[in-house]
Amino acid sequence: MPGLHLLAELYDCRCAPKLLADAGALRELCLAVCATPGLTPVGQIFHQFGSALEPSGATGVVVLAESHLAVHTWPEVHAVTLDLYVCNFSQNNSAVARLACQRLISAFVPARVLRRELERGIPDLAGVLTTPEND
């Protein structure tokens, strides 16, 4: 299960307001980004908050054969959170994950970005590995 888990918080997004408010626009962006070679969408669900007349944000998930992409928008504060986990089971997909994440970030045109990267599936040899019995 080795892989790269990327998290990003986007602030003061200057993209078209529809991208922050409309689940359909968010879906189109996420599916376009997940068409990147090395990512294989196998399912999706997106939810519109508010109403058709007054949309107020969206949330969506694309399930990937390699893991997942989750995106949540807050148009009232021009913010977005991204969560992209890409497994490296048969090959190292870290570059693909970083490219997809950067494409998403660029689409929202944020003034400020907080990014985090976590290498998963590589136990910390200096740390304590717990089992369910000793948690």
Side-chain angles (χ1 to χ4, degrees), residues 26-37 39 62 103-104:
L26 183 64
R27 176 187 288 116
E28 284 181 34
L29 171 64
C30 290
L31 292 177
V33 167
C34 288
T36 300
L39 300 180
V62 179
R103 288 178 61 201
L104 284 165

Side-chain angles (χ1 to χ4, degrees), residues 5-103:
H5 199 154
L6 303 172
L7 303 170
E9 297 171 21
L10 315 181
Y11 299 97
D12 303 319
C13 294
R14 297 164 287 168
C15 59
K18 183 175 183 173
L19 189 54
L20 294 172
D22 182 69
L26 183 64
R27 176 187 288 116
E28 284 181 34
L29 171 64
C30 290
L31 292 177
V33 167
C34 288
T36 300
L39 300 180
T40 313
V42 296
Q44 59 170 297
I45 188 162
F46 286 79
H47 177 75
Q48 178 70 58
F49 294 100
S51 67
L53 295 176
E54 293 186 41
S56 61
T59 189
V61 175
V62 179
V63 178
L64 303 169
E66 300 79 15
S67 199
H68 70 268
L69 165 66
V71 181
H72 312 281
T73 69
W74 287 268
E76 65 277 12
V77 293
H78 307 282
V80 176
T81 60
L82 307 174
D83 178 331
L84 176 61
Y85 177 37
V86 178
C87 297
N88 293 331
F89 184 70
S90 61
Q91 65 184 16
N92 187 334
N93 289 323
S94 296
V96 171
R98 287 185 181 101
L99 174 63
C101 192
Q102 186 54 53
R103 288 178 61 201

